[in-house]
Amino acid sequence: MSKLLDNFGRQMEYVRLAVTDRCNLRCQYCMPAHGIDIVPRQELLTFKEMYRLIRVLTELGVNKVRLTGGEPFVRKDFVGFLEMLSYNDLLEAINITTNGAMISKHIATIEMLEKVKNINLSIDSLQREKFAKITRRDVFPEVYKTFELLEKSSLNLKLNVVVQSGFNTDEIVDFVRLTKDKNVAVRFIEEMPFNGKGQREMQENWTFKKILNEMKTEFDVSEIQSEKSSTSRNYSIENHVGTVGIIPAFTRTICNDCNRIRITSTGTFKNCLFDDGVFNLRDFIRKGASNDDLKELFLSLVKQKPENGFIAEANRKKGGVSESMSTIGG
C-alpha cells in the first residue's frame, strides 16, 4: 500500500479535519469581536464527503483524525458523523477539540464509541469574568461543568490553554495545580497570529521558555520522553496525578517530526498550519474525482509539504496573515 511520504521522509499519519467554520464563542486570539464572514453552508464539505476523504487517507496510512471547527458541536448531527467515522476499520483513533459549551449532553454517547480516544477541551481561564473577557461570552459555568464530567469519564482529557500576555499568564500556576489530584494533561499553547485581523496584536508572545520558567517558579518539573511526532513537550511533577505540556506552536521547534496534514471545512488541503492551503478537495470531488484520483492527488500534495512552519510562512502570498483560527481549523 502506498504511504503518504513527504520529501523529507516523514510519513503522514494524522489528519486534522475542521467540520465547520462556525463557533458559538468569539475568542479574542481566534477572531474579531464581530466574528468572521462564515461561508454559505453549501460551500462546506458534507459529512459524506468528509467520510470519503478520511477513508481514502486511511488507505494511504493515516490512522488518526482530529475533528475541530470552529466548534464541531455547533454543526447539526456532528455526533452522528462520529458514529459514521467509527465504522472506518482502518482508523485507530478519533480525537475531538471543543470549547466545551455544548458537549455535556453528548458525553455518554461519545464514551460508547470505542475509537473516540481523546477530548481536548479549550479553557483559557479558571475565572468566570476573565473567561468571559477572553471568549466574549459568559459560558464559563457550562464549560467548567463539561470539564468535571469529562474528568470523571473514560475519555482521555487534555486542557488546552492559549497563553495570552495581559490576560491569563497569572493563571499558569493555577492550571498546573489542577494536575495535583486530577488525571488531566494541561497543555499551554503559544499564541499564534491567526485572529482574522490581518496582523498580530499581541502585547508580548509568551514563548515556550517563558511558559516553562513560569511553571518552575512553583514546581519542580521533569520532562517526560514524548512519542515521536508529539506536538508538545511534556512534563511530570512529583506526586501529581496529571501532567503538563507546552505546545510551541509559534516558535515551531516540533516541525522536524511533523506527521500531520489539515483539511479545512471548505475542503482546502493544508500541509502546514502556516501555509496558504495547496488545493481545494471539495471542488475536485464535486467535479467527479474517483477514489484513485484522490489517492494520486494526496500522494502528490504531501510532496509539497515544507520542511518547517517558517518556510511555509515565508512562502505565503504577500499581504500578511488574515485568516482566523476558526477558518483554518483550530
Side-chain angles (χ1 to χ4, degrees), residues 224-276:
I224 303 168
Q225 182 65 41
S226 300
E227 62 182 48
K228 186 177 180 181
S229 302
S230 174
T231 58
S232 61
R233 296 270 296 275
N234 303 303
Y235 301 86
S236 64
I237 300 170
E238 188 175 2
N239 297 322
H240 279 228
V241 176
T243 61
V244 292
I246 305 174
I247 299 177
F250 186 73
T251 53
R252 286 161 264 187
T253 56
I254 53 174
C255 291
N256 288 343
D257 293 327
C258 182
N259 68 343
R260 288 164 168 76
I261 52 179
R262 290 172 173 262
I263 300 174
T264 72
S265 59
T266 55
T268 298
F269 180 93
K270 293 173 69 73
N271 276 310
C272 176
L273 172 65
F274 287 88
D275 72 28
D276 276 320

Side-chain angles (χ1 to χ4, degrees), residues 53-232:
L53 289 171
I54 298 301
R55 180 64 199 185
V56 171
L57 285 169
T58 57
E59 291 176 2
L60 293 172
V62 169
N63 53 42
K64 296 184 180 69
V65 59
R66 174 165 297 284
L67 302 174
T68 70
E71 166 53 40
F73 286 91
V74 304
R75 182 153 182 180
K76 185 178 179 181
D77 203 28
F78 172 65
V79 175
F81 178 58
L82 287 176
E83 296 171 342
M84 184 193 309
L85 268 187
S86 296
Y87 287 108
N88 185 332
D89 59 317
L90 298 177
L91 263 183
E92 295 178 7
I94 301 170
N95 304 323
I96 305 168
T97 296
T98 176
N99 62 37
M102 302 174 65
I103 183 180
S104 59
K105 65 181 180 181
H106 301 295
I107 291 175
T109 300
I110 293 171
E111 281 189 279
M112 296 173 62
L113 301 176
E114 183 179 350
K115 292 186 178 181
V116 178
K117 305 292 186 181
N118 301 300
I119 302 287
N120 285 10
L121 177 64
S122 298
I123 180 169
D124 299 315
S125 176
L126 297 172
Q127 301 172 28
R128 181 170 181 171
E129 289 186 7
K130 190 185 295 184
F131 184 93
K133 187 173 182 179
I134 292 172
T135 64
R136 304 188 178 103
R137 298 290 187 273
D138 184 19
V139 293
F140 180 77
E142 291 90 332
V143 174
Y144 199 81
K145 175 186 174 183
T146 295
F147 165 47
E148 293 180 316
L149 291 172
L150 287 172
E151 199 263 327
K152 295 174 184 176
S153 75
S154 60
L155 298 162
N156 295 321
L157 175 62
K158 296 178 181 178
L159 301 185
N160 284 351
V161 184
V162 177
V163 179
Q164 304 153 71
S165 178
F167 285 93
N168 64 354
T169 54
D170 60 330
E171 291 190 71
I172 289 175
V173 167
D174 293 332
F175 273 106
V176 176
R177 288 195 184 108
L178 288 177
T179 68
K180 172 70 175 177
D181 301 309
K182 297 182 183 298
N183 186 24
V184 299
V186 173
R187 304 194 310 171
F188 299 105
I189 306 174
E190 293 178 341
E191 188 178 358
M192 291 169 286
F194 300 109
N195 57 13
K197 298 177 182 178
Q199 58 184 339
R200 291 183 58 228
E201 297 182 356
M202 296 181 282
Q203 296 179 29
E204 177 186 7
N205 195 327
W206 272 60
T207 62
F208 173 92
K209 289 183 179 180
K210 194 172 180 68
I211 296 169
L212 181 60
N213 287 337
E214 180 68 14
M215 289 195 298
K216 287 181 175 179
T217 61
E218 184 145 341
F219 303 99
D220 183 14
V221 300
S222 301
E223 186 160 6
I224 303 168
Q225 182 65 41
S226 300
E227 62 182 48
K228 186 177 180 181
S229 302
S230 174
T231 58
S232 61

Side-chain angles (χ1 to χ4, degrees), residues 308-321:
N308 57 56
F310 293 105
I311 294 174
E313 185 175 23
N315 291 336
R316 290 180 67 94
K317 296 174 184 176
K318 292 183 179 181
V321 174

